[in-house]
Amino acid sequence: MPDKIHTKYVLDETEMPRAWYNILPDLPHPLPAPLHPGTHQPIAPEDMLPIFPMALIEQEMSSERYIEIPGPVREVLTQWRPSPLFRARRLEKALDTPARIYYKYEGVSPVGSHKPNTAVAQVYYNKEAGIKKISTETGAGQWGSSLAMAGAFFGVEIEVFMVKVSYEQKPFRRSMMQTFGATVHASPTNLTDAGRGALAKDPDNPGSLGLAISEAVEVAVKSGGTIKYSLGSVLNHVLLHQTVVGEEALLQMAKADDYPDIVIGCAGGGSNMAGLIIPFVREARKKALNTRFLAAEPTACPSMTRGVYSYDFGDTVGMTPLMKMYTLGHDFMPPGIHAGGLRYHGMAPIMSLLHEEGIVEAQSYHQNSIFEAAVLFAKQEGIICAPESAHAIRAVIDEALEAKAAGEERVILFNLSGHGHFDMLSYDKYFEGALQDYDYPIEAVQDAQTRLPTIDEAALAPGD
Ligand SMILES: *Cc1c(COP(=O)(O)O)cnc(C)c1O
């Protein structure tokens, strides 16, 4: 037990990690290979060149444990990194819990979330490869804002397909992207085959991350190499870039002279949670610790708690490589919940494997209960969190109350992935009692899962 209780633990910018930690060589089993969407055979690095620059493809498949963060990327990141680690002292008191609660706060980045950690790196590698324009999708707008900002820093044009329901719920995220010079469309659009197809079936389609990904990938694929595509979560290289969060947190927990029993994150595609936990997973395996890892997800879109571990497309129409992951089915359309960043049908392959191995647990929560947690947290800690992060806070509060009931000194660490200053309309809806608690959409999921691709995994070459 630390003798002196601090409120925050900060690192000097010279203490920012110099390398990302790549968990691929340290996973309990090799990650199942991504497959070609047409042939269903393992894909070669060159197959991904139409959409990604080689440096990122190499990171996607790298067997190096540590990958140096390039100087120009470090230089940008140090504008807000290392991010602070707080001890939630007033929250602990309000809950009257013996648990010690710590949070890593990623809302200090200029756009307000963890996403610039990878956006800056991705735009940098594209710029190095001579790329002048990048297309992408965004849910709540956090990713689009991050890539737009990074594009402005490195002089790369950014085109964003923003999920329509968020475009309408979060107009200021669109203004923010435009401020950074990006072009923003409400997805589904009439600009792509994927968008036109979806609109033909349902002109009121609210959009989804999977569909917006299809649109953005199509733009890159059809550009003949001039436009690349960028994804803000799910992929190995994205999770890699987020490991700065966990490496810093390890140093900060050491400063606090404490160590977590449980590490919690909200999980949409899995990147913020992975960024925090991966270095702690490494430590747990190295030192045989019993650290628990808990993913918090929405009941309306419960990829890990209710999905299947299967090969599936990353997008809705089936243009991306097949990845082995927890999925609800690639054309599952989640209800329009206010945590737009968590409305994704799949889960990062790395996180999926960790869940399959029993290393990462998962729990799902309803909208009203996460906003209740967010409001309690705001009153104690002053930070109004993003609806996505509120899922993690709900899980933290439940853990802290369980610790109290059990009379245990549990140490809880979580990733406060972003602030909610652009999400106040969602808070208003909560206060008005106008938020619907969507049940787990079992029929829609069962229907979507009938369209999972059938892969004969036994026939794939071993070791791939
Ligand atoms: C995008 C986003 C998420 C969800 O994405 P992950 O890849 O699962 O981290 C969570 N929190 C915030 C604030 C986000 O912007």
Side-chain angles (χ1 to χ4, degrees):
M1 172 95 178
D3 50 348
K4 181 176 180 320
I5 298 175
H6 290 261
T7 303
K8 67 179 187 297
Y9 300 89
V10 290
L11 301 171
D12 185 79
E13 71 180 55
T14 58
E15 292 173 280
M16 198 188 89
R18 302 199 151 259
W20 294 300
Y21 167 56
N22 174 24
I23 196 175
L24 290 179
D26 292 335
L27 286 172
H29 296 293
L31 202 64
L35 307 180
H36 190 281
T39 66
H40 293 186
Q41 288 305 305
I43 47 173
E46 312 81 74
D47 294 337
M48 288 195 274
L49 262 179
I51 51 175
F52 298 122
M54 199 37 120
L56 292 175
I57 297 170
E58 279 166 9
Q59 290 181 358
E60 191 63 20
M61 305 179 156
S62 175
S63 52
E64 306 257 309
R65 273 198 180 84
Y66 291 94
I67 296 174
E68 196 183 317
I69 307 174
V73 174
R74 284 179 53 84
E75 200 176 291
V76 174
L77 294 185
T78 47
Q79 186 184 332
W80 66 93
R81 306 212 69 85
S83 66
L85 178 92
F86 290 97
R87 169 95 185 256
R89 300 168 60 183
R90 284 184 302 272
L91 178 66
E92 289 171 15
K93 208 172 280 170
L95 298 174
D96 186 27
T97 174
R100 300 197 287 284
I101 303 173
Y102 296 87
Y103 56 99
K104 183 73 168 154
Y105 186 40
E106 289 297 306
V108 295
S109 81
V111 305
S113 77
H114 64 289
K115 291 202 172 75
N117 296 331
T118 182
V120 170
Q122 291 192 45
V123 174
Y124 166 80
Y125 288 115
N126 273 286
K127 174 83 177 182
E128 287 290 287
I131 298 303
K132 299 196 169 54
K133 182 168 175 180
I134 301 174
S135 68
T136 197
E137 77 295 327
T138 196
Q142 289 270 20
W143 170 243
S145 314
S146 305
L147 200 70
M149 180 185 78
F153 287 168
F154 291 104
V156 174
E157 208 184 315
I158 306 294
E159 181 171 11
V160 184
F161 291 84
M162 183 173 189
V163 177
K164 196 191 279 163
V165 54
S166 297
Y167 188 94
E168 284 157 7
Q169 282 171 357
K170 309 193 173 174
F172 298 134
R173 277 279 165 198
R174 171 184 44 74
S175 326
M176 192 173 185
M177 291 183 255
Q178 289 166 336
T179 303
F180 290 128
T183 308
V184 189
H185 315 287
S187 165
T189 71
N190 276 313
L191 302 169
T192 65
D193 290 342
R196 284 187 290 266
L199 289 172
K201 271 193 221 147
D202 175 12
D204 297 323
N205 189 316
S208 71
L209 272 179
L211 183 53
I213 293 173
S214 298
E215 293 208 86
V217 169
E218 186 179 327
V219 165
V221 168
K222 289 189 173 161
S223 73
T226 58
I227 304 176
K228 296 278 189 215
Y229 164 74
S230 172
L231 187 60
S233 185
V234 181
L235 299 176
N236 303 342
H237 66 265
V238 178
L239 274 52
L240 172 80
H241 299 154
Q242 292 295 353
T243 57
V244 286
V245 176
E247 295 288 15
E248 289 174 7
L250 269 172
L251 299 175
Q252 288 162 311
M253 288 304 300
K255 284 202 176 193
D257 192 20
D258 216 348
Y259 198 85
D261 298 308
I262 178 164
V263 189
I264 295 174
C266 64
S271 74
N272 87 82
M273 170 156 182
L276 177 62
I277 72 165
I278 281 176
F280 286 89
V281 171
R282 175 190 65 210
E283 297 305 301
R285 286 173 65 77
K286 203 156 69 185
K287 299 175 185 158
L289 306 172
N290 291 320
T291 318
R292 288 173 56 209
F293 302 97
L294 174 62
E297 54 182 20
T299 306
C301 191
S303 333
M304 275 193 280
T305 41
R306 303 304 279 275
V308 288
Y309 189 46
S310 172
Y311 269 104
D312 199 5
F313 300 103
D315 68 327
T316 296
V317 306
M319 297 177 69
T320 69
L322 294 164
M323 294 173 287
K324 181 104 185 250
M325 62 180 174
Y326 274 89
T327 177
L328 296 166
H330 56 274
D331 59 4
F332 167 67
M333 282 281 161
I337 53 165
H338 284 255
L342 306 186
R343 290 178 72 244
Y344 183 61
H345 65 272
M347 182 50 57
I350 289 175
M351 287 289 285
S352 294
L353 187 136
L354 293 173
H355 183 50
E356 182 68 8
E357 290 291 321
I359 296 170
V360 167
E361 309 160 29
Q363 183 75 45
S364 71
Y365 305 89
H366 280 298
Q367 291 203 95
N368 282 294
S369 96
I370 65 106
F371 274 99
E372 181 196 20
V375 170
L376 172 64
F377 186 83
K379 284 180 177 158
Q380 301 308 321
E381 298 295 313
I383 295 173
I384 299 177
C385 71
E388 290 83 1
S389 318
H391 289 71
I393 294 176
R394 174 80 262 167
V396 166
I397 291 175
D398 290 353
E399 280 292 327
L401 293 176
E402 249 182 67
K404 177 180 171 182
E408 262 177 47
E409 270 195 20
R410 210 169 286 182
V411 181
I412 303 170
L413 167 65
F414 75 99
N415 198 353
L416 212 185
S417 53
H419 69 61
H421 298 177
F422 291 86
D423 303 286
M424 297 317 293
L425 280 173
S426 305
Y427 278 81
D428 280 352
K429 285 257 164 64
Y430 168 69
F431 293 130
E432 288 162 17
L435 283 190
Q436 195 180 333
D437 276 342
Y438 298 97
D439 278 329
Y440 164 61
I442 187 155
E443 275 156 28
V445 171
Q446 279 172 349
D447 177 52
Q449 289 185 344
T450 61
R451 288 181 295 281
L452 285 175
T454 359
I455 305 295
D456 183 1
E457 287 187 50
L460 296 172
D464 266 324

